Amino acid sequence: MSAQRYCDNCNSVLHGEFCHHCGQEKKSYIRNVSGVVTEFFGEFSNWDTRLWRTLIPLWFRPGFLSRRYVSGHRVPYVPPLRLYLFTSIIAFLIFAKLMPQQAIEVSAVASDPELIVLETKDGADITLAELLKQTQTELQQVPGLPNNSAVPIYINDEHSQHTLALPFISEQAQQRLNERFAAVVANPKLAVNKFFSLAPQMMFLLLPLFALLLKLLYVRSDRYYMEHLIVALHSHSFILQFSVLYLALGLLRQSISWSWLATVVGWLETAVLCWIPLYLLLCQKFYYRQRWGKTLLKFWLTSSVYNLLFISAVIGLIVLSILWA
């Protein structure tokens, strides 16, 4: 007959490995080095198995992980919050390394954007007016984004050689922004590093807003807010992972000298880009299980509002990166 065991915390009689009174596990963390190393590799192997069991359906089965988690099947998979935090940290570190470091120098200063010529490292010249026009065109191509959602940003030489004028901030803030912008022009890497250090926090703040948007659109589904938050965590983990893949494929295609192989990589790049919005649409369809008409309408509303929030947050983050660089 085995001796009676007691909880080390509250001294209650144990009927298993966990105390029924305080919940503490009957386990000693004071042990020799070999025991710690053995436990570490055991936990790492178990986490690695759960990771791949999570990533495959995350990539190719929209809404599957969210349905499984909500229905109670949680042990075989990495928890959604842990998965997102791990993905966010790794993704933004990779973004900072993979983003092309293309310096832009102003070779002429004038208040007319047609007279400001921007020269890149590869020797290409482009006027500021052309650059702004291209940016506006790209923003208008974002699905569901209103045509007038772009915030006007322009170069001004009234007070300094390098100033950035924003119409929605105060005069004092504008002066401080101009000072910081001049420093950033001299060393753009400072603002880039600050942007990618703040970007994970920005994305984490957008998560509950995305879940709240789903809650409002599916208010008649009688789902709790946490159920929508699970969808948001899985969706954002997928978006970050495939954004890294898309950027990596683009850089790989540019570095390949064989045209046929570059073409194949380009097809994969296009497929990844198309799969991201299609995945999000199928995720809403398979998770909420409504008719296609309602799903398409709610997906359009979700993407429109969220894209507007995202672009506004990015613009604000750029300004903060300049101010805090």
Side-chain angles (χ1 to χ4, degrees):
M1 183 176 179
S2 59
Q4 183 67 57
R5 299 189 304 167
Y6 297 89
C7 176
D8 297 327
N9 180 51
C10 63
N11 206 35
S12 299
V13 177
L14 291 177
H15 301 285
E17 295 300 322
F18 293 87
C19 176
H20 70 280
H21 182 71
C22 68
Q24 178 170 295
E25 184 180 8
K26 182 65 175 179
K27 181 179 181 180
S28 175
Y29 290 89
I30 309 301
R31 66 196 79 177
N32 56 33
V33 175
S34 62
V36 174
V37 172
T38 302
E39 181 179 2
F40 170 78
F41 282 103
E43 289 293 330
F44 179 80
S45 175
N46 180 53
W47 195 84
D48 182 66
T49 303
R50 295 173 65 192
L51 177 63
W52 287 110
R53 198 180 296 164
T54 302
L55 290 181
I56 299 302
L58 177 69
W59 294 340
F60 303 111
R61 300 187 66 179
F64 174 79
L65 285 178
S66 300
R67 292 201 315 268
R68 294 281 289 179
Y69 188 89
V70 170
S71 62
H73 301 275
R74 301 166 187 170
V75 173
Y77 310 106
V78 178
L81 181 58
R82 187 182 306 175
L83 175 66
Y84 172 77
L85 293 177
F86 176 79
T87 298
S88 178
I89 293 172
I90 300 300
F92 283 103
L93 287 176
I94 296 176
F95 284 150
K97 296 297 181 181
L98 294 186
M99 287 297 291
Q101 302 297 323
Q102 189 178 43
I104 297 178
E105 299 177 355
V106 179
S107 60
V109 178
S111 58
D112 187 358
E114 293 288 351
L115 300 180
I116 299 179
V117 180
L118 304 177
E119 181 180 355
T120 61
K121 282 186 175 180
D122 56 10
D125 292 338
I126 183 174
T127 66
L128 178 60
E130 293 173 345
L131 179 61
L132 293 176
K133 185 177 180 180
Q134 291 179 8
T135 304
Q136 178 70 17
T137 302
E138 292 175 359
L139 288 175
Q140 290 176 349
Q141 292 175 353
V142 176
L145 185 65
N147 292 334
N148 61 348
S149 61
V151 175
I153 299 177
Y154 55 91
I155 301 293
N156 189 312
D157 69 332
E158 182 179 355
H159 302 290
S160 174
Q161 183 177 1
H162 300 296
T163 62
L164 184 67
L166 298 176
F168 51 83
I169 63 177
S170 64
E171 183 177 351
Q172 182 179 3
Q174 179 68 64
Q175 183 178 0
R176 184 185 176 192
L177 179 63
N178 290 338
E179 295 173 355
R180 297 305 306 164
F181 182 63
V184 167
V185 169
N187 189 1
K189 189 66 176 177
L190 294 175
V192 173
N193 291 338
K194 179 60 67 174
F195 178 87
F196 282 107
S197 67
L198 295 175
Q201 292 92 311
M202 179 202 73
M203 290 294 295
F204 192 75
L205 292 177
L206 287 176
L207 268 170
L209 295 179
F210 181 75
L212 179 61
L213 181 60
L214 292 176
K215 174 66 176 177
L216 295 176
L217 290 175
Y218 293 94
V219 65
R220 299 180 61 184
S221 64
D222 295 329
R223 293 180 180 271
Y224 292 107
Y225 174 80
M226 287 301 300
E227 298 182 62
H228 303 289
L229 187 60
I230 298 302
V231 178
L233 288 168
H234 284 142
S235 299
H236 281 68
S237 298
F238 167 81
I239 292 173
L240 288 176
Q241 292 176 20
F242 266 64
S243 296
V244 171
L245 178 60
Y246 175 76
L247 184 60
L249 288 174
L251 295 178
L252 177 62
R253 175 177 51 80
Q254 296 174 7
S255 63
I256 294 178
S257 58
W258 296 339
S259 59
W260 65 270
L261 185 56
T263 302
V264 173
V265 174
W267 290 342
L268 290 175
E269 186 181 1
T270 303
V272 168
L273 184 62
C274 294
W275 178 236
I276 293 177
L278 179 59
Y279 176 97
L280 298 175
L281 172 61
L282 295 176
C283 182
Q284 283 191 227
K285 169 61 179 176
F286 296 149
Y287 182 78
Y288 295 103
R289 300 183 180 182
Q290 292 186 339
R291 296 195 303 270
W292 274 109
K294 286 186 176 181
T295 300
L296 289 171
L297 176 60
K298 292 181 179 182
F299 176 74
W300 179 81
L301 291 172
T302 304
S303 59
S304 299
V305 176
Y306 188 73
N307 283 334
L308 188 59
L309 290 173
F310 179 79
I311 292 177
S312 301
V314 169
I315 293 174
L317 190 60
I318 292 174
V319 174
L320 289 179
S321 300
I322 296 175
L323 291 176
W324 295 350

